[in-house]
Amino acid sequence: MEAKLRDQVNTLIAAIDGGEQIVLTKKEALVRALIKRALAGDVRAIEIVLQQARTEPNEENGGVTVIIEDEDEDESASDGDGEE
């Protein structure tokens, strides 16, 4: 079952992006759709995207996990005069 799913998500499809036809995998299309929902304010989609960003090794940065910190936490750590 896992191999069949992997084969399916790696299948190439055609899509329209910015008025141009592009070719991408079903997996890439799913990720784009999830991110689009997150950017539109879908809380569950935001949670999924952030969770994956925190836990998935990223091939583009050599497998380093990127932790995105909340800007509000950074501000509360400063002494309040705008300087760090």
Side-chain angles (χ1 to χ4, degrees):
M1 177 71 178
E2 186 176 321
K4 289 181 181 182
L5 179 60
R6 188 174 34 255
D7 289 344
Q8 279 296 312
V9 298
N10 289 322
T11 302
L12 293 176
I13 60 171
I16 304 296
D17 183 26
E20 295 185 25
Q21 185 170 357
I22 61 170
V23 177
L24 68 163
T25 65
K26 290 178 181 178
K27 184 177 182 179
E28 290 170 318
L30 288 169
V31 169
R32 285 176 175 232
L34 180 64
I35 291 172
K36 184 176 179 178
R37 286 179 40 204
L39 291 172
D42 181 322
V43 175
R44 182 66 183 132
I46 293 168
E47 290 173 350
I48 293 169
V49 169
L50 291 178
Q51 181 63 34
Q52 290 302 309
R54 289 183 182 115
T55 61
E56 288 293 317
N58 184 339
E59 293 174 8
E60 293 175 3
N61 64 12
V64 175
T65 301
V66 177
I67 305 297
I68 302 170
E69 294 185 10
D70 189 343
E71 289 181 15
D72 293 336
E73 291 177 13
D74 293 339
E75 291 173 8
S76 65
S78 70
D79 58 5
D81 64 4
E83 297 179 17
E84 293 190 12

